[in-house]
Amino acid sequence: MESQRNISEFILLGLSYNQNVQIFCFVFFLFCYVSILVGNLLILVSIRCSGLFYQPMYYFLSHLSFMDICYTSCVTPKLIGDLLLARKTISYDNCMLQVFFLHFLGIIEIFILTVMAFDRYAAICKPLHYLLIMNKTRCHLLVLAAWAGGAVHSFSQFSMIILLPFCGPNEINHYYCDIFPLLKVACTDTYITGVLVVANSGMVALVTFVLLFGSYIVILFSLRNHSAEGRHKALSTCGSHITVVILFFGPSIFAYLRPPTTFPEDKIFALFYTIIAPMFNPLIYTLRNTEMKKAMRRVWCQRIF
């Protein structure tokens, strides 16, 4: 690898050159990161310390919260620290690790959201067979499959980036190491690599989004046969899932399902799926979920009082 590159670090251009904007972003993203940690840890502990952990929906939700913490921790602490620095750099090795783990954890989160949609489909459309369909063994296997899918995807992306030669410009117009900005500074023709990235990441995001959207259409269509109370409860749960899916998948599809190039708007859209969506997930899943709110009150009121 040393023969293919003569740089040891990349310079991140960040979000803005304006000092006042950087100070505002520092305070805002610090608040966001603390909110992400506190909110998702509250969900994790509340589910784990209550009977909800043994229900498939909340079992998957606990994994989603864990993924949110890990995923955003790959980017946000570095972003917050860099906002206080005049020169923002990241070593070559850390840059490659960031690319690997962002795609690894991001795909796991996508697959867990898909599994959660399948769980809601089974609960609403196949209520008599729900416990048989979503038994404990199958839930474990679905989560394991999500991890395996994340590993396959991230290794395929990582293998393309790690082989690129970097021998000239090392300025990345982003606040973290992403594939398209890296393709732009590689000293070789990256057209084929860019097409492969779009075919991989872009199509995974698009196909998964279509499957999720289709599953929720089937769920909503089947609600005609439920009681008014059943429809209200199902719509409340599905509404939370749909909101999370839109927040996460909308910007992701824009970022990866397009010609392999970079745009100024990339950094803004990236903020949605790396920071904003993980911050809102705990609020979305708790404020509209009666069982979750009851579990949190039981767990934390007992611990405090």
Side-chain angles (χ1 to χ4, degrees), residues 3-305:
S3 63
Q4 295 185 352
R5 62 182 175 91
N6 58 11
I7 61 172
S8 59
E9 66 179 17
F10 293 101
I11 299 172
L12 300 172
L13 299 185
L15 294 172
S16 173
Y17 295 107
N18 187 295
Q19 188 66 31
N20 292 329
V21 172
Q22 290 193 62
I23 293 173
F24 170 79
C25 288
F26 171 80
V27 175
F28 177 69
F29 291 127
L30 180 61
F31 168 79
C32 290
Y33 187 55
V34 172
S35 300
I36 290 167
L37 294 180
V38 173
N40 285 291
L41 284 172
L42 279 173
I43 288 180
L44 272 172
V45 175
S46 299
I47 292 175
R48 192 65 185 88
C49 296
S50 67
L52 294 181
F53 184 74
Y54 301 100
Q55 298 183 31
M57 173 184 167
Y58 298 100
Y59 172 75
F60 296 132
L61 178 57
S62 66
H63 282 278
L64 181 67
S65 293
F66 178 68
M67 283 301 112
D68 277 340
I69 292 172
C70 296
Y71 181 68
T72 194
S73 294
C74 290
V75 174
T76 313
K78 171 70 175 167
L79 168 62
I80 294 170
D82 283 347
L83 288 168
L84 299 177
L85 303 175
R87 189 171 184 268
K88 306 163 179 55
T89 63
I90 184 170
S91 69
Y92 174 87
D93 292 336
N94 286 340
C95 183
M96 295 300 110
L97 284 174
Q98 194 173 61
V99 170
F100 175 81
F101 281 109
L102 277 173
H103 282 268
F104 176 57
L105 298 169
I107 290 297
I108 292 175
E109 183 155 349
I110 285 175
F111 288 158
I112 288 177
L113 285 170
T114 306
V115 169
M116 291 175 73
F118 175 71
D119 172 72
R120 289 302 85 201
Y121 166 79
I124 295 170
C125 301
K126 307 285 185 181
L128 299 178
H129 301 93
Y130 176 67
L131 294 178
L132 181 63
I133 296 172
M134 301 303 296
N135 58 59
K136 187 176 180 180
T137 302
R138 183 161 289 143
C139 290
H140 292 324
L141 287 175
L142 287 171
V143 171
L144 183 61
W147 280 75
V152 170
H153 167 78
S154 58
F155 273 113
S156 65
Q157 301 290 76
F158 182 73
S159 63
M160 290 188 287
I161 296 300
I162 200 71
L163 294 175
L164 290 176
F166 296 97
C167 50
N170 64 338
E171 288 188 345
I172 298 177
N173 188 20
H174 217 305
Y175 62 90
Y176 69 91
C177 285
D178 201 7
I179 291 180
F180 287 159
L182 284 171
L183 293 180
K184 194 171 183 179
V185 299
C187 51
T188 187
D189 184 5
T190 59
Y191 177 77
I192 299 299
T193 305
V195 170
L196 292 174
V197 169
V198 171
N200 192 331
S201 295
M203 291 309 296
V204 166
L206 179 62
V207 171
T208 309
F209 179 76
V210 170
L211 287 174
L212 286 168
F213 189 74
S215 68
Y216 285 120
I217 289 177
V218 173
I219 290 172
L220 294 174
F221 186 77
S222 69
L223 288 177
R224 297 179 307 165
N225 303 321
H226 289 65
S227 64
E229 183 181 352
R231 283 198 298 269
H232 176 75
K233 184 177 180 181
L235 286 172
S236 178
T237 303
C238 292
S240 301
H241 291 189
I242 292 170
T243 305
V244 170
V245 166
I246 292 172
L247 279 174
F248 189 85
F249 277 89
S252 299
I253 291 173
F254 172 83
Y256 292 104
L257 194 67
R258 64 168 201 227
T261 185
T262 57
F263 296 104
E265 297 83 6
D266 287 351
K267 290 181 278 189
I268 304 301
F269 279 95
L271 290 172
F272 276 89
Y273 56 81
T274 57
I275 300 175
I276 304 301
M279 180 179 68
F280 280 109
N281 281 1
L283 293 175
I284 292 168
Y285 280 112
T286 55
L287 293 180
R288 301 186 64 183
N289 191 307
T290 305
E291 286 186 312
M292 194 69 231
K293 287 189 286 188
K294 288 180 180 177
M296 292 180 74
R297 280 196 293 267
R298 284 198 303 269
V299 171
W300 295 104
C301 289
Q302 287 176 1
R303 288 177 179 271
I304 294 173
F305 300 106

